[in-house]
Amino acid sequence: MRWTPGGARSGLRGARGGARTSVRGVPGAARANPRGVPVAARVNPRGAAGVHAGAWWLWALALGTAATRTTNPLLLALLLTVSGYVVVTCRPDTPSARSYTAFVRLALAVLLIRLVFAVALGSPIPGTHVLVTLPEVPLPHWAQGIRLGGRVTAEALVFALYDGLKLATLLVCVGAANALAAPARLLKSLPGALYEMGVAVVVALTFAPHLVADGRRLRAARRLRGRPDRGVRGLLHVGLPVLQGALERSVALAAAMDARGYGRTAEVAPTVRRTTAALTLGGLLGVCAGTYGLLTAEGGTYGLPVLLAGVAAALAGLRLGGRRSPRTRYRPDTWNLRSCLVAGAGAAVAALLTLAAARDPEALHPGVVPLTAPTLPLWPAAAVLLGLLPAFAAAPTPARTSPEEPS
């Protein structure tokens, strides 16, 4: 028998047990077990089929902007449903993706606190439907306008519910952005001039999912040992190790960043540095002046040109300022058609809800005095449903396996 390297390799492969399958172009490919049945392929860890991280954040923040334009609980519930469905469909299997539940709980806590404040501290909303009358605490004359206890009306509770639900929806949208695109991915897309600030923000946002994961791990360990993990005692025994782990992680991260040279700057000519500062400062002032002009009736003529000039000057300043931070990007995210669809869907929802709030404010802001049942406006609801486009256009697909190789 003639010996060949390929035959030896195939024989070795057959001796190790069966054929193997490969996933072309996907790291961490699935292998076949000894019986020849391929294991399920992994889903792309980046999530939604290579969608840019900035597109997910623009989509989520646009939904949050749409939530600020209405107090209709039906539209807010529809926004919550849309964001939750997209998160469940498109989120990757990462620690930041699992923090979405924590944001939902935070939103529920904010809503509950708003209702408690409305009951305990009263509300300026007048009402005739008295639900309960609490004992009122007398306050001195300098605390006029504030009361503790007293009448609790249905109108005040409904107003607090609408207001708290709007803030809760905004928090859930931010949690959706954090779940769909890890904040660390945004660091690759920031201009060089904002690199140091971006590092600080990304580090701060990245620590939140790790705290949630540490808390779950410690609570599970205490349950396995038969110790309480709820209540004040459980919170103390879980919170202190989580805080200690966060401090140790912060020190280790600071040492690692210092060893890798974070914060170093390149030599730039003084003229370029002054030009960068002038363009950035002038651009920010132009953006402020243009925005003020657009919001006032007197500045409608000069508002848009000044705003565009300020944006152009600020972008030029950021471009020049990037020379002070020499760095490279490893496998940077790129904008593709799916990224544009994701960002465009969110922008469409925000724009249409803003237009609806201007044309039909009664439908988007149901009345509280007198107390009326909210109705669902049709075309604003259809505009909110446009936010579901990422669930169909950018959902991750499992990696497909190639045919089995001969042994």
Side-chain angles (χ1 to χ4, degrees), residues 293-363:
L294 291 177
L295 294 178
T296 58
E298 295 80 4
T301 56
Y302 69 85
L304 184 59
V306 173
L307 177 62
L308 294 177
V311 170
L315 291 177
L318 293 176
R319 180 71 177 178
L320 289 177
R323 298 180 180 180
R324 298 181 60 251
S325 179
R327 63 190 180 97
T328 59
R329 291 184 176 96
Y330 175 68
R331 298 177 63 185
D333 291 340
T334 57
W335 280 86
N336 50 21
L337 180 59
R338 293 182 177 182
S339 302
C340 296
L341 288 176
V342 170
V349 174
L352 292 176
L353 261 293
T354 303
L355 181 62
R359 290 192 173 184
D360 192 6
E362 295 182 358

Side-chain angles (χ1 to χ4, degrees), residues 103 178 183-184 196-211 250 253 257:
F103 279 93
N178 193 75
E196 288 81 5
M197 183 182 68
V199 170
V201 174
V202 168
V203 168
L205 292 177
T206 306
F207 265 57
H210 289 288
L211 293 178
S250 301
L253 180 61
M257 293 175 66

Side-chain angles (χ1 to χ4, degrees), residues 48 56 59 82 85-90 342 386-396:
W56 284 122
W59 171 83
V82 167
Y85 181 79
V86 173
V87 168
V88 172
T89 306
C90 300
V342 170
L386 291 176
L388 289 174
L389 181 61
F392 304 98

Side-chain angles (χ1 to χ4, degrees), residues 36-398:
V37 180
V39 183
R42 295 182 180 179
V43 176
N44 182 9
R46 281 191 161 190
V51 177
H52 197 279
W56 284 122
W57 279 85
L58 288 176
W59 171 83
L61 294 179
L63 291 187
T65 303
T68 61
R69 312 314 308 175
T70 179
T71 56
N72 192 319
L74 300 179
L75 286 178
L76 293 175
L78 190 59
L79 282 170
L80 290 173
T81 304
V82 167
S83 63
Y85 181 79
V86 173
V87 168
V88 172
T89 306
C90 300
R91 64 177 175 181
D93 188 13
T94 58
S96 61
R98 291 190 290 271
S99 65
Y100 180 73
T101 307
F103 279 93
V104 173
R105 292 177 180 175
L106 178 62
L108 292 176
V110 168
L111 179 60
L112 181 61
I113 291 173
R114 183 67 180 88
L115 292 175
V116 170
F117 279 2
V119 172
L121 302 180
S123 175
I125 302 299
T128 56
H129 299 80
V130 180
L131 299 179
V132 65
T133 301
L134 301 176
E136 187 171 355
V137 179
L139 298 175
H141 67 279
W142 50 266
Q144 295 295 331
I146 302 175
R147 67 177 179 86
L148 297 177
R151 298 190 311 163
V152 179
T153 61
E155 290 81 357
L157 279 182
V158 171
F159 177 79
L161 176 65
Y162 290 174
D163 195 29
L165 186 59
K166 179 171 66 175
L167 182 56
T169 305
L170 183 58
L171 289 174
V172 170
C173 291
V174 175
N178 193 75
L180 291 168
R185 288 178 56 191
L186 289 177
L187 185 60
K188 299 181 180 180
S189 306
L190 286 178
L194 302 178
Y195 184 62
E196 288 81 5
M197 183 182 68
V199 170
V201 174
V202 168
V203 168
L205 292 177
T206 306
F207 265 57
H210 289 288
L211 293 178
V212 175
D214 290 346
R216 290 179 177 176
R217 177 175 54 82
L218 290 172
R219 289 182 59 186
R222 290 185 62 84
R223 285 196 299 267
L224 290 175
R225 293 179 174 88
R227 299 176 182 177
D229 62 321
R230 299 182 181 274
V232 178
R233 183 179 178 183
L235 180 62
L236 292 177
H237 286 84
V238 172
L240 291 179
V242 169
L243 180 60
Q244 181 182 0
L247 292 176
E248 292 177 354
R249 192 180 297 113
S250 301
V251 173
L253 180 61
M257 293 175 66
D258 184 65
R260 288 167 173 81
Y262 277 85
R264 67 186 186 277
T265 57
E267 295 183 1
V268 180
T271 306
V272 177
R273 188 162 53 248
R274 298 191 190 98
T275 305
T276 301
L279 287 175
T280 305
L281 182 60
L284 294 178
L285 291 177
V287 170
C288 295
T291 305
Y292 177 78
L294 291 177
L295 294 178
T296 58
E298 295 80 4
T301 56
Y302 69 85
L304 184 59
V306 173
L307 177 62
L308 294 177
V311 170
L315 291 177
L318 293 176
R319 180 71 177 178
L320 289 177
R323 298 180 180 180
R324 298 181 60 251
S325 179
R327 63 190 180 97
T328 59
R329 291 184 176 96
Y330 175 68
R331 298 177 63 185
D333 291 340
T334 57
W335 280 86
N336 50 21
L337 180 59
R338 293 182 177 182
S339 302
C340 296
L341 288 176
V342 170
V349 174
L352 292 176
L353 261 293
T354 303
L355 181 62
R359 290 192 173 184
D360 192 6
E362 295 182 358
L364 269 70
H365 299 277
V368 178
V369 180
L371 192 61
T372 57
T375 58
L376 182 64
L378 295 181
W379 74 269
V384 173
L385 292 179
L386 291 176
L388 289 174
L389 181 61
F392 304 98
T397 55

